[in-house]
Amino acid sequence: MVAVGQGRNVAAVADHPGAVPLRNCHFICGIGGTHRPGDAINADHISRRLAKKFGGFSETLYAPAYVENRALKEAFMQNGTIKETLDRARKADIALVGIGDMNENSYMVKLGWFTPHEIIDASVNQGVTGDVAGYDFFNAQGQHVDTVMNDRVIGLSIDELRKIPCVIAIAAENTKAMALLGALRTGAIDIVATSAQNIRTILSMTQ
């Protein structure tokens, strides 16, 4: 079973050309859906493309990815269908997630989840260097940072990802070395798929 995140980098895995051996895989959304119809980097669309590519099947998380406040999130999390799907996602063997770098032009901002001001404030005033899966913010030491953006997203948390045997973080952009270092220090990431330049930068920062 593979829990699937969202974003450009995770979508690129599903869209990578070439033949792959067919597997009886269960792909399951690890985060709810976005409001933009036909969005190719929505977790549900990615999960469906992966299932088609590998000959498995896909399971949708029937919930919005983003809600306006904590009370709404808690209400959605009480729904039986949502809870059952997330319970299955928590038991995945593998998770594919993206890593964000607190860019004010990020996918999260474009979707309207968070404002550029919220992103900048978290970065400058709270020391946030990145996020896992589009939320769950951390600093350069990999420590969770409690921001005003917390508890608005319905999906697997860093704590839940830590319990999945193999979590693969994907970040191709060469601007994400610091975010990747923080992500690795959370203890939730087992494998990083990124550029050689990012790896060299990370190694130079840890020597």
Side-chain angles (χ1 to χ4, degrees):
M1 183 181 288
V2 182
V4 179
Q6 65 175 5
R8 292 182 294 267
N9 286 290
V10 180
V13 176
D15 296 334
H16 191 275
V20 295
L22 298 181
R23 310 239 183 222
N24 185 25
C25 292
H26 179 174
F27 295 94
I28 184 168
C29 295
I31 183 172
T34 60
H35 64 278
R36 300 198 303 190
D39 195 336
I41 55 181
N42 187 317
D44 186 49
H45 289 75
I46 297 169
S47 183
R48 290 172 187 271
R49 297 202 303 278
L50 284 167
K52 183 177 180 181
K53 189 181 186 74
F54 285 91
F57 66 98
S58 175
E59 181 175 353
T60 300
L61 174 57
Y62 288 104
Y66 167 85
V67 292
E68 287 72 16
N69 54 60
R70 180 178 300 181
L72 268 177
K73 176 181 175 177
E74 290 175 352
F76 272 108
M77 296 292 272
Q78 296 301 313
N79 175 270
T81 300
I82 294 170
K83 185 178 183 301
E84 288 172 11
T85 301
L86 282 174
D87 282 345
R88 282 189 287 274
R90 292 179 184 110
K91 296 174 183 176
D93 304 293
I94 299 170
L96 295 176
V97 298
I99 301 296
D101 62 351
M102 304 308 292
N103 186 323
E104 59 188 285
N105 296 313
S106 71
Y107 178 58
M108 298 179 299
V109 173
K110 290 178 180 177
L111 283 173
W113 293 8
F114 313 124
T115 67
H117 174 75
E118 287 173 329
I119 295 289
I120 293 168
D121 181 67
S123 176
V124 174
N125 297 321
Q126 295 186 276
V128 175
T129 59
D131 65 81
V132 173
Y135 58 105
D136 234 330
F137 303 93
F138 52 80
N139 60 23
Q141 288 71 47
Q143 299 163 332
H144 173 76
V145 180
D146 191 15
T147 76
V148 296
M149 298 176 286
N150 284 351
D151 288 324
R152 297 196 208 170
V153 177
I154 297 173
L156 298 177
S157 67
I158 285 181
D159 287 340
E160 290 167 334
L161 288 171
R162 285 192 188 98
K163 297 173 184 176
I164 292 176
C166 181
V167 178
I168 303 170
I170 308 160
E173 301 88 342
N174 287 331
T175 58
K176 292 188 174 179
M178 183 61 75
L180 282 165
L181 178 58
L184 286 167
R185 286 173 170 168
T186 68
I189 308 302
D190 300 290
I191 297 172
V192 168
T194 189
S195 66
Q197 180 176 326
N198 274 341
I199 295 301
R200 286 193 292 268
T201 302
I202 290 168
L203 291 173
S204 70
M205 289 190 291
T206 55
Q207 288 176 351

